[in-house]
């Protein structure tokens, strides 16, 4: 009977369970070699990707290849186990980050295949809901009792802050009213402030006079100044 | 039959022990003492732990149940800089693995030579009552080039693999076959598994994993010469099985050495 390479399709859970069962009478002797290991999470560059199910990883020593059965198409190459595993993890990380922010209609046919492999093995919803948002925000210290305890963002929203949430030694010296620019990590679901990973004092924003403001707005122009076009 | 490009990627020897009658638990102090002399040869290491959950319920309708959690150390592993020599110690278990590297191709002789002092030290430190089983393991990775049709015929390469008719089944895309064989030359079964395994697409090959595990059971001795004699028998038997299980077309992929010419 002919034998051919087929594209990988992740088996439904009930099939996986059957496949993973220990064979009656054969014991676990088949699971003892050092080239294979079970990977229950993927850690790379300080990130942890949640896997939907434990995956079977193999290192082929003669070719220096690291492959994971479920991640069809991804190969890590290196002289040692660790180097090949790192190369594999980076290739998955790069592909995932490249495709994560694309909409489905933006995918090419090849990207769609890659995303199918990635999303069927990485729990994308859990990843999104556990990966903090990082945003640049402007604000000022509102309360100091005796150390900064509340900040007000430039949209008027006030938020409590604990010194231990700020990665800057001198934040404790900020006085009430001190304006700043900060890089903030927030919970992606509740948008609650998690940490301020970078903060710097800035000078007081200058207030334009009413005349200067009108002048500036005029210089920007509006759609009225655009040439006529046939948009119909 | 010898080859210039043998498919073997890992050879290992594993031993199961009958513990010392005074043993109370897997003694971590003994493990440290045992591994100490090998730290220079095998400087890197890891510990594998497992967690077992047990839920006790007093009746089928009782959802409250009491939960017991048990942590257990599965094994200690030490390896060299290239991760081509690995020593593993578990509860009444010892194994020594030799993996393919840029410098060396694994073989029974190399695995035996490296495992011998580790076994002697184990007997000294842990003082088991006997060796229960000694097992020789081989792992082969076989890449079969795909022709332009993108298909091969299983029987051309593995004549004794169980097959299915093309009609009405179609084309096989993955399979796994396991055998447990009563070895005629030594007590203890031979376990064999042939399965497809993923390969990088650009290589255009079908990759197979072929495993051999010959267990010498009921060894029941601490006379190490007897253990190695059983291993030698197991090795000769497995070598014969290997050349018989594969077709000449497959063996040719490993670039056989013309022994007549060489002698």
């Amino acid at each position: 009977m002919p034998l051919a390479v087929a594209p990988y399709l992740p088996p439904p859970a009930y099939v996986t369970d059957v496949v993973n069962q220990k064979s009656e009478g054969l014991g676990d002797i088949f699971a003892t070699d050092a080239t294979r290991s079970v990977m229950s999470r993927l850690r790379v560059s300080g990130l942890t990707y949640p896997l939907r199910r434990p995956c079977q990883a193999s290192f082929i020593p003669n070719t220096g290849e690291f492959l994971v059965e479920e991640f069809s198409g991804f190969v890590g190459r290196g002289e040692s186990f660790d180097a090949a595993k790192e190369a594999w993890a980076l290739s998955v990380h790069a592909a995932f980050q490249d495709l994560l922010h694309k909409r489905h209609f933006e995918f090419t046919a090849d990207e769609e295949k890659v995303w199918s492999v990635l999303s069927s093995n990485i729990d994308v919803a859990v990843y999104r809901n556990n990966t903090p948002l990082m945003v640049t925000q402007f604000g000022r210290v509102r309360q100091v009792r005796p150390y900064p305890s509340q900040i007000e963002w430039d949209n008027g929203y006030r938020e409590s802050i604990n010194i231990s949430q700020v990665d800057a030694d001198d934040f404790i010296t900020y006085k009430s009213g001190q304006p700043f620019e900060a890089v903030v990590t927030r919970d992606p679901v509740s948008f609650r402030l998690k940490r301020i990973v970078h903060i710097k004092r800035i000078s007081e924003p200058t207030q334009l006079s009413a005349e200067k403001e009108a002048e500036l707005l005029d210089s920007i122009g509006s759609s009225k100044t655009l040439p006529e076009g046939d948009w119909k | 039959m010898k080859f210039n490009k043998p498919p073997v990627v890992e050879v290992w020897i594993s031993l199961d022990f009958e513990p010392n009658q005074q043993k109370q638990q897997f003694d971590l102090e003994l493990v440290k003492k045992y591994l100490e002399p090998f730290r220079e040869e095998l400087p890197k290491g890891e510990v594998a732990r497992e967690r077992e959950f047990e839920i006790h319920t007093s009746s089928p309708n009782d959802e409250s149940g009491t939960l017991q959690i048990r942590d257990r150390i599965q094994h200690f592993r030490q390896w060299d800089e290239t991760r081509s020599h690995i020593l593993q110690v578990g509860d009444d278990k010892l194994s020594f693995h030799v993996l393919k590297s840029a410098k060396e191709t694994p073989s029974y002789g190399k695995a035996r030579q490296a495992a011998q002092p580790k076994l002697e030290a184990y007997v000294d430190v842990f003082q088991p009552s006997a060796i229960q089983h000694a097992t020789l393991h081989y792992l082969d990775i076989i890449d079969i080039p795909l022709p332009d049709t993108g298909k091969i015929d299983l029987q051309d390469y593995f004549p004794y693999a169980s097959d299915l008719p093309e009609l009405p089944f179609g084309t096989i895309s993955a399979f796994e076959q396991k055998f447990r064989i009563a070895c005629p030359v030594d007590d203890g079964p031979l376990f064999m598994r042939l399965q497809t395994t993923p390969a990088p697409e650009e290589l255009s090959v079908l990759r197979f994993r072929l495993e051999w595990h010959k267990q010498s059971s009921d060894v029941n001795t601490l006379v190490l010469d007897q253990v190695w004699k059983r291993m030698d028998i197991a090795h000769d038997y497995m070598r014969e099985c290997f050349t018989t299980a594969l077709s000449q077309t497959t063996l040719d992929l490993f670039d056989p050495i013309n022994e007549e010419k060489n002698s």
Side-chain angles (χ1 to χ4, degrees), chain A residues 54-94:
Chain A
C55 297
Q56 179 96 277
S58 309
F59 175 63
I60 311 293
N62 52 337
T63 51
E65 293 160 5
F66 186 90
L67 299 126
V68 178
E69 210 156 307
E70 292 80 359
F71 283 79
S72 165
F74 290 93
V75 186
R77 289 195 171 80
E79 282 185 8
S80 66
F81 171 88
D82 290 338
K85 186 180 178 185
E86 173 77 3
W88 178 86
L90 288 174
S91 70
V92 171
H93 179 38

Side-chain angles (χ1 to χ4, degrees), chain A residues 170-204:
Chain A
D170 68 339
F171 181 65
I172 198 165
T173 65
Y174 281 29
K175 305 290 181 243
S176 179
Q178 172 65 55
F180 61 79
E181 179 184 346
V183 178
V184 182
T185 59
R186 293 189 171 275
D187 184 287
V189 180
S190 67
F191 295 107
R192 219 161 36 83
L193 184 145
K194 291 171 84 79
R195 293 200 75 73
I196 292 180
V197 294
H198 173 73
I199 189 165
K200 68 173 182 184
R201 289 183 171 95
I202 54 172
S203 51
E204 195 69 46

Side-chain angles (χ1 to χ4, degrees), chain B residues 76-117:
Chain B
F76 289 78
R77 248 183 197 181
Q78 294 289 132
W79 59 86
D80 61 355
E81 291 294 343
T82 57
R83 208 186 164 101
S84 57
H85 283 199
I86 301 174
L87 173 63
Q88 187 170 302
V89 192
D91 196 3
D92 298 321
K93 288 177 196 303
L94 175 73
S95 64
F96 193 84
H97 305 240
V98 180
L99 281 85
K100 171 102 179 167
S101 68
K103 282 188 277 179
E104 117 183 288
T105 299
S107 69
Y108 166 62
K110 288 172 188 168
R112 178 183 160 163
Q113 193 184 4
Q116 225 156 348

Side-chain angles (χ1 to χ4, degrees), chain B residues 54 62 86 89 122 184 202 241 254:
Chain B
E54 200 175 311
D62 178 10
I86 301 174
V89 192
Y122 185 96
E202 66 273 17
C241 292
F254 315 140

Side-chain angles (χ1 to χ4, degrees), chain B residues 15-257:
Chain B
L15 299 126
D16 296 275
F17 299 91
E18 183 63 42
N20 184 313
Q21 295 307 306
Q22 275 81 48
K23 179 191 166 186
Q24 292 185 335
Q25 58 178 9
F26 187 24
D27 191 332
L28 305 186
E29 288 307 312
L30 281 184
V31 175
K32 282 182 196 162
K33 187 179 165 190
Y34 169 69
L35 291 174
E36 197 50 46
F38 306 117
R39 294 251 183 244
E40 204 170 312
E41 180 192 343
L42 309 164
K44 297 188 171 180
E46 68 182 12
V47 183
R49 296 168 196 275
E50 67 183 8
R51 177 164 280 189
E52 194 180 282
F53 296 90
E54 200 175 311
I55 300 165
H56 296 275
T57 48
S58 50
S59 71
N61 298 327
D62 178 10
E63 289 175 5
S64 60
T66 51
L67 175 68
Q68 280 192 350
I69 300 171
R70 269 191 294 271
D71 284 324
R72 202 174 76 89
I73 289 180
Q74 265 187 347
H75 60 250
F76 289 78
R77 248 183 197 181
Q78 294 289 132
W79 59 86
D80 61 355
E81 291 294 343
T82 57
R83 208 186 164 101
S84 57
H85 283 199
I86 301 174
L87 173 63
Q88 187 170 302
V89 192
D91 196 3
D92 298 321
K93 288 177 196 303
L94 175 73
S95 64
F96 193 84
H97 305 240
V98 180
L99 281 85
K100 171 102 179 167
S101 68
K103 282 188 277 179
E104 117 183 288
T105 299
S107 69
Y108 166 62
K110 288 172 188 168
R112 178 183 160 163
Q113 193 184 4
Q116 225 156 348
K118 277 85 184 174
L119 173 58
E120 285 164 13
Y122 185 96
V123 172
D124 271 356
V125 174
F126 289 90
Q127 300 190 333
S129 312
I131 293 168
Q132 277 182 331
H133 310 298
T135 313
L136 175 62
H137 312 255
Y138 263 78
L139 170 60
D140 300 319
I141 298 288
I142 302 170
D143 282 350
I144 294 179
L146 268 176
D148 293 340
T149 57
K151 294 176 185 179
I152 63 161
D153 202 314
L154 189 61
Q155 298 295 311
D156 290 345
Y157 294 89
F158 306 100
Y160 302 106
S162 308
D163 206 355
L164 294 166
E166 188 172 1
L167 280 174
F169 285 96
T171 305
I172 300 172
S173 57
F175 76 89
E176 177 180 346
Q177 290 184 18
K178 294 178 188 174
F179 299 89
R180 181 186 169 127
I181 301 146
C183 169
V185 293
D186 177 52
D187 279 347
L190 168 72
F191 299 93
M192 181 186 156
R193 171 161 72 175
L194 175 66
Q195 66 177 139
T196 48
T197 190
E201 280 170 34
E202 66 273 17
L203 292 185
S204 196
V205 295
L206 270 169
R207 180 169 285 174
F208 295 85
R209 215 183 128 88
L210 182 56
E211 290 172 54
W212 307 85
H213 311 271
K214 171 65 188 81
Q215 190 175 69
S216 292
S217 48
D218 299 322
V219 178
N220 294 331
T221 180
L222 277 180
V223 181
L224 300 187
D225 281 350
Q226 283 187 32
V227 177
W228 294 119
K229 200 173 165 189
R230 298 271 307 258
M231 289 272 98
D232 292 345
I233 293 170
H235 175 245
D236 291 345
Y237 167 67
M238 278 168 69
R239 197 165 52 179
E240 207 178 326
C241 292
F242 169 80
T243 46
T244 307
L246 306 181
S247 70
Q248 192 56 47
T249 313
T250 311
L251 295 173
D252 286 345
L253 294 171
F254 315 140
D255 194 5
I257 296 168

Side-chain angles (χ1 to χ4, degrees), chain A residues 22-185:
Chain A
K22 280 184 184 174
S23 319
E24 194 65 38
L26 293 174
D28 58 359
I29 200 156
F30 288 115
T32 54
D33 68 86
T35 63
R36 294 217 282 197
S37 54
V38 174
M39 192 164 62
S40 51
R41 60 186 161 179
L42 166 57
R43 279 189 186 157
V44 55
S45 299
L47 277 176
T48 301
Y49 287 104
L51 300 180
R52 291 180 188 273
R53 65 188 78 82
C55 297
Q56 179 96 277
S58 309
F59 175 63
I60 311 293
N62 52 337
T63 51
E65 293 160 5
F66 186 90
L67 299 126
V68 178
E69 210 156 307
E70 292 80 359
F71 283 79
S72 165
F74 290 93
V75 186
R77 289 195 171 80
E79 282 185 8
S80 66
F81 171 88
D82 290 338
K85 186 180 178 185
E86 173 77 3
W88 178 86
L90 288 174
S91 70
V92 171
H93 179 38
F96 187 85
Q97 291 301 328
D98 186 31
L99 300 179
L100 178 67
H101 305 291
K102 283 191 179 180
R103 303 297 301 273
H104 194 258
F105 63 84
E106 294 178 287
F107 287 164
T108 63
D110 284 345
E111 285 174 340
E112 201 165 323
K113 279 185 206 160
V114 173
W115 185 247
S116 162
V117 169
L118 292 171
S119 60
S120 57
N121 290 294
I122 295 173
D123 198 324
V124 182
V126 170
Y127 172 80
R128 283 189 203 274
N129 294 338
N130 285 287
T131 306
L133 297 172
M134 196 173 280
V135 287
T136 300
Q137 289 190 262
F138 295 87
R140 65 176 68 237
V141 175
R142 187 48 69 191
Q143 276 180 9
V144 176
R145 288 181 180 169
Y147 308 121
S149 58
Q150 191 187 64
I151 48 186
E152 182 179 343
W153 299 110
D154 57 357
N155 61 0
Y157 180 67
R158 292 186 181 194
E159 204 161 21
S160 298
I161 186 80
N162 189 306
I163 295 292
S164 63
Q165 287 176 288
V166 184
D167 296 339
D169 297 343
D170 68 339
F171 181 65
I172 198 165
T173 65
Y174 281 29
K175 305 290 181 243
S176 179
Q178 172 65 55
F180 61 79
E181 179 184 346
V183 178
V184 182
T185 59

